[in-house]
Amino acid sequence: MVTNTNAFRDYLQLEKKYSPHTVNAYLNDLFSFQKFIELHFDQDDIIKVNYSQIRSWIVSLVDGGLSNVSVNRKISSLKAFYKFLLKIKQIEISPLLKHKALKTPKSLQIPFSEKEVGNVLSVTQNPSGLDEIRNRLIIDLFYTTGMRRAELIFLKKSGVDLVNGTIKVVGKRNKERLLPMLSVIQGQVSDYIKEREGIEVIVDVDSFFLTKKGLKLSNSFVYRLINSYFSTVSEKVKKSPHILRHTFATHLLNNGADLNSVKELLGHSSLASTQIYTHNSLSELKKVHKEAHPRNK
């Protein structure tokens, strides 16, 4: 049995401010490791394990077909647990002290082009009814604010301020930030609010975005929505809310926005996180440079 489970849960929720989904994932990884140790080493206390035993678990995960990315995520859960045990002085050295993450291929995040986004917006013009108006607004909010999928799903009705043209979202580690709302979006928001008021029974009353049954949207619903609309105009492998967020940042940078401003809009804690988007902006600069420089004429 994993000891200190409740204390570890509180640590993740209250101190690290992780989402319920992340907390559950960490605890599930912990219990999975516990079962492995009990089965293969006849040991019921993972506080006393050594790195060799953890290494055996890693090998079993890889042999079982799990990707290096997924394995690294599971090890991150263990790292967090042993870091917590260090913090409460239950151990003196983490068994993962010298562990190096498994190598993973760099995933190229290719944003949608302005034409592809324009085509989707063209297809969704003049929406009618709750579903169409909501879906169009979701696409536009991702593209015009760069908010994360979780931020959109957990957006509160009280967080949408039409008077001041702002949207308050809660990002990672419960950090709040205000996002500007374009005037063209304000009209769409007003239309959606009217449709939302027509829902007969609202279960999740605080949530801004709802289904016809008055329920908060799910992660899979929002993913399928974006994937479905963009599949009609793009052959890119990845067509997700995150790619649309990536597109937001890339298009801003391509059109002259400074990196610090994009950082604030995205809710990044450091410029390092935002700089991954600059390669697309650099491509645009290279194109302009090549076409405009006299040495190339």
Side-chain angles (χ1 to χ4, degrees):
M1 182 177 180
V2 180
T3 57
N4 295 303
T5 302
N6 291 333
F8 181 51
R9 181 191 294 272
D10 290 342
Y11 165 73
L12 295 174
Q13 288 178 332
L14 304 177
E15 188 167 331
K16 302 300 288 182
K17 298 188 183 302
Y18 289 159
S19 69
H21 175 77
T22 300
V23 172
N24 287 334
Y26 272 45
L27 292 175
N28 287 337
D29 291 337
L30 211 56
F31 289 130
S32 174
F33 177 59
Q34 171 74 43
K35 289 179 182 178
F36 178 85
I37 292 300
E38 288 177 353
L39 180 63
H40 295 276
F41 296 96
D42 195 25
Q43 183 174 329
D44 61 1
D45 191 353
I46 65 173
I47 292 179
K48 299 176 181 178
V49 302
N50 55 48
Y51 182 65
S52 176
Q53 292 170 316
I54 295 175
R55 184 69 186 172
S56 296
W57 186 49
I58 293 173
V59 171
S60 75
L61 293 174
V62 173
D63 287 346
L66 216 58
S67 69
N68 285 5
V69 172
S70 296
V71 173
N72 285 340
R73 187 191 62 76
K74 289 181 178 293
I75 297 303
S76 292
S77 301
L78 284 193
K79 276 189 173 181
F81 179 65
Y82 290 117
K83 184 178 180 180
F84 166 70
L85 294 181
L86 283 169
K87 188 178 181 69
I88 63 174
K89 302 186 184 305
Q90 191 151 356
I91 60 173
E92 294 182 1
I93 300 175
S94 169
L96 283 162
L97 181 63
K98 296 183 179 180
H99 173 75
K100 292 183 179 180
L102 303 183
K103 291 184 178 180
T104 56
K106 289 187 177 180
S107 178
L108 186 60
Q109 304 287 338
I110 303 175
F112 299 117
S113 66
E114 291 188 32
K115 182 179 180 181
E116 286 172 329
V117 175
N119 286 342
V120 167
L121 296 179
S122 176
V123 168
T124 56
Q125 271 187 340
N126 304 315
S128 61
L130 176 69
D131 287 349
E132 287 186 7
I133 290 174
R134 178 200 59 215
N135 294 354
R136 167 61 190 250
L137 179 57
I138 287 174
I139 294 168
D140 247 331
L141 279 182
F142 276 135
Y143 182 55
T144 62
T145 69
M147 67 172 65
R148 299 178 177 93
R149 172 168 42 170
E151 291 170 347
L152 181 132
I153 289 172
F154 289 98
L155 179 63
K156 301 293 184 186
K157 186 181 177 184
S158 59
V160 179
D161 186 346
L162 280 171
V163 175
N164 294 306
T166 59
I167 300 173
K168 182 175 20 176
V169 296
V170 180
K172 291 184 176 180
R173 305 196 178 185
N174 286 334
K175 289 183 179 178
E176 292 184 349
R177 72 183 188 282
L178 284 178
L179 298 173
M181 196 191 314
L182 296 179
S183 57
V184 66
I185 303 301
Q186 289 177 267
Q188 293 181 45
V189 169
S190 295
D191 291 341
Y192 169 70
I193 290 174
K194 290 176 185 176
E195 293 294 330
R196 186 186 184 283
E197 290 171 350
I199 298 174
E200 290 186 9
V201 179
I202 296 181
V203 180
D204 295 306
V205 292
D206 294 331
S207 297
F208 182 67
F209 283 112
L210 299 170
T211 66
K212 282 184 175 179
K213 295 182 179 180
L215 299 170
K216 180 176 64 181
L217 305 184
S218 67
N219 275 304
S220 58
F221 177 93
V222 177
Y223 175 85
R224 289 196 305 270
L225 187 156
I226 299 302
N227 185 270
S228 173
Y229 279 99
F230 279 87
S231 290
T232 63
V233 301
S234 175
E235 294 183 355
K236 290 181 173 64
V237 175
K238 291 187 177 181
K239 296 176 280 289
S240 66
H242 182 71
I243 294 298
L244 203 43
R245 172 174 159 86
H246 188 82
T247 302
F248 160 81
T250 301
H251 290 184
L252 279 182
L253 290 167
N254 283 349
N255 285 280
D258 68 276
L259 201 58
N260 269 308
S261 296
V262 176
K263 166 185 169 291
E264 294 301 318
L265 289 167
L266 291 172
H268 286 159
S269 56
S270 70
L271 272 178
S273 299
T274 315
Q275 284 171 337
I276 62 171
Y277 301 106
T278 60
H279 71 276
N280 296 292
S281 185
L282 182 59
S283 299
E284 189 71 16
L285 288 174
K286 284 181 177 178
K287 179 182 175 184
V288 172
H289 179 259
K290 182 178 179 180
E291 292 176 352
H293 200 281
R295 283 282 285 143
N296 198 45
K297 296 186 183 297

